Structures are given as structure tokens and as C-alpha cells.
Amino acid sequence: LEGLIDCKGSMYKFVHDQIQLAAYSLIPENERGLWHLQIGSLIWANKSKSQKSALFIAVGQLNQGEKFIKKTRERVELARLNLKAGEKAMSSAVYTMAASFLKSGIDLLAGTWWVENYSLCLKLYVSYAEVCYCNGDFETMSLMLEEVFRHTECDKDNRPAHFTLIRALAAQGKLHSSIETSLLVLEKLGEQFPSPDDKTVSAEYSKLKRILEGKTDTYILGLSAMENDE
């Protein structure tokens, strides 16, 4: 294998991507998934040796062999790993990668999983909807949010989904719909807001303008944070 593979300690790698592709092409297509599954399992079993990258690499390999995972418990566990990988990618603002992991997690739980794994499904769908919003994929985001609103058991559970919807509507320039949704959520939280007419809005605007008269941006930014929210 001299000239084809580099060896550094216990680490091996092909010297060129084309050599790796040529070797990969020798594996029968119907067996490749099993190889990915085995490689992913080995990487995850030895994750302590490379904690920073093990999660992404292992889950990526396992996903490529998921069709060979038949046991429900193992599919649920892989969905949890996809959620973990997706959340980690989100925390680093790598939203395209996060979307891939979260979608894979959702695909693993097709069927009646909202009943059997409610909490996991909720986290996957809410996170995927948020990532789609960050990626500007508002169509897929809307589909994911519809699923959340259809299956959530209480207002508390669908609150994060509403926050994503509010931000997405505002980002699309649909400010009126964004405000309406915000008021709906606040109403469910027990905060009632009147529906002001143009005269009331104009009066409040004039009042605020008088309060801010003569105040500079520096002055306003230097004000102390409100301590009594009542």
C-alpha cells in the first residue's frame, strides 16, 4: 500500500481523494451502507479519542447506513444523536450542516413517533424549523411549524415554534402578521392588549415623541436597565 496510504501512528488516510474514490467504488453499492454503519459505530465507540469531531463524523457515517438499522431502539438512539449533532452545529451557526442532521433525525422517526417519542420529535421539529428560518427556507419552515402546532400538547410546548414564526414573518416583511401572532401568544400568556384605532396610536406616538425630545442616542443607551417589570 506504499504510495496509496499515509500512516501516522494509528491513523491512516489515502494520499489523494481520487484514490479514496477509486477504493470506494470497488465496494458493491448494496454493501456500502453496512460499511458506513460499521465505521460510524467504531468512531462513536472510540469518541473519547477525538471528542471535537467524533460526533459529526460518526453521525454522518451512521446516517449513510440507516436503512440497515431495523431495531426501533437503535433508530431512536440515532435520531437523538442527530438532534445532538444538529444542536451543536446550530451553536456554531453552521446552519446548513445543522439542517442536514435534524432532517435525518426526523426521517428516522417517520410514523407514529409523536405519540411514542413526543419530546424527541418536538425538539427535532422545532430546531429544524428554526434552522430553516436561518437558512431562508421559509416554505420548509412553515411545514415543520404546522407539524408542531398539530401535535403539541400545550401552549408551553409550541411557544418556541411561535417565536420562530414571529421572527420569520418579520424577516419576510410581513410585519402586520408578525405583530398579530405576537399578540396572540401574549394573550395566551394572560396579557391582554387592546386594538387601538388610528387616533389612539397617533396620540401615543405624540406622547412618546415629547418624552424623547432633546434626548440623544448616547443618553438613551446609557439608561439603566429596568428592574421592576411591572
Side-chain angles (χ1 to χ4, degrees):
L1 296 178
E2 186 177 350
L4 299 178
I5 295 178
D6 279 339
C7 173
K8 292 183 180 180
S10 61
M11 304 292 291
Y12 294 83
K13 71 174 183 177
F14 290 99
V15 297
H16 196 281
D17 290 344
Q18 292 301 318
I19 297 175
Q20 180 179 341
L21 289 172
Y24 187 75
S25 68
L26 296 175
I27 304 173
E29 289 190 21
N30 62 339
E31 296 179 11
R32 291 175 185 175
L34 288 171
W35 281 94
H36 285 297
L37 200 59
Q38 183 178 0
I39 292 169
S41 298
L42 287 171
I43 293 173
W44 190 240
N46 294 278
K47 58 182 178 292
S48 60
K49 296 179 180 180
S50 181
Q51 292 185 356
K52 289 185 178 180
S53 58
L55 178 62
F56 292 149
I57 297 173
V59 176
Q61 290 290 324
L62 292 170
N63 284 342
Q64 292 186 70
E66 64 85 17
K67 69 178 182 179
F68 293 98
I69 302 176
K70 304 301 181 183
K71 294 182 179 179
T72 299
R73 178 181 58 80
E74 293 177 352
R75 294 185 70 83
V76 172
E77 180 57 29
L78 180 53
R80 292 187 193 281
L81 287 176
N82 272 284
L83 173 62
K84 186 175 181 179
E87 289 177 336
K88 184 176 180 180
M90 287 175 69
S91 68
S92 300
V94 188
Y95 297 120
T96 302
M97 179 188 289
S100 177
F101 284 126
L102 294 168
K103 185 179 185 304
S104 293
I106 289 172
D107 291 342
L108 281 159
L109 298 181
T112 59
W113 297 104
W114 274 101
V115 176
E116 298 172 17
N117 286 278
Y118 175 81
S119 179
L120 177 58
C121 278
L122 180 62
K123 291 177 181 177
L124 280 167
Y125 275 89
V126 169
S127 296
Y128 187 40
E130 183 177 353
V131 165
C132 288
Y133 153 67
C134 293
N135 286 333
D137 185 1
F138 297 114
E139 182 177 355
T140 303
M141 179 208 71
S142 296
L143 293 174
M144 295 303 104
L145 291 179
E146 286 175 9
E147 282 292 304
V148 173
F149 295 141
R150 186 182 301 119
H151 291 97
T152 43
E153 298 174 350
C154 61
D155 290 336
K156 180 181 178 181
D157 287 348
N158 66 35
R159 205 169 294 156
H162 270 122
F163 292 160
T164 297
L165 177 59
I166 290 166
R167 288 183 294 161
L169 289 170
Q172 296 173 85
K174 301 176 181 178
L175 297 181
H176 184 71
S177 297
S178 180
I179 292 171
E180 281 191 334
T181 305
S182 300
L183 293 175
L184 175 64
V185 173
L186 288 170
E187 184 177 340
K188 290 181 178 180
L189 291 171
E191 298 291 339
Q192 297 291 332
F193 282 79
S195 298
D197 53 28
D198 291 343
K199 184 178 180 180
T200 303
V201 171
S202 180
E204 288 297 320
Y205 177 77
S206 297
K207 180 181 177 181
L208 179 60
K209 189 175 181 180
R210 287 194 302 271
I211 293 173
L212 296 177
E213 189 173 355
K215 306 290 193 304
T216 64
D217 292 345
T218 302
Y219 172 81
I220 294 172
L221 291 172
L223 292 174
S224 302
M226 182 174 65
E227 295 181 357
N228 184 353
D229 57 7
E230 296 181 357

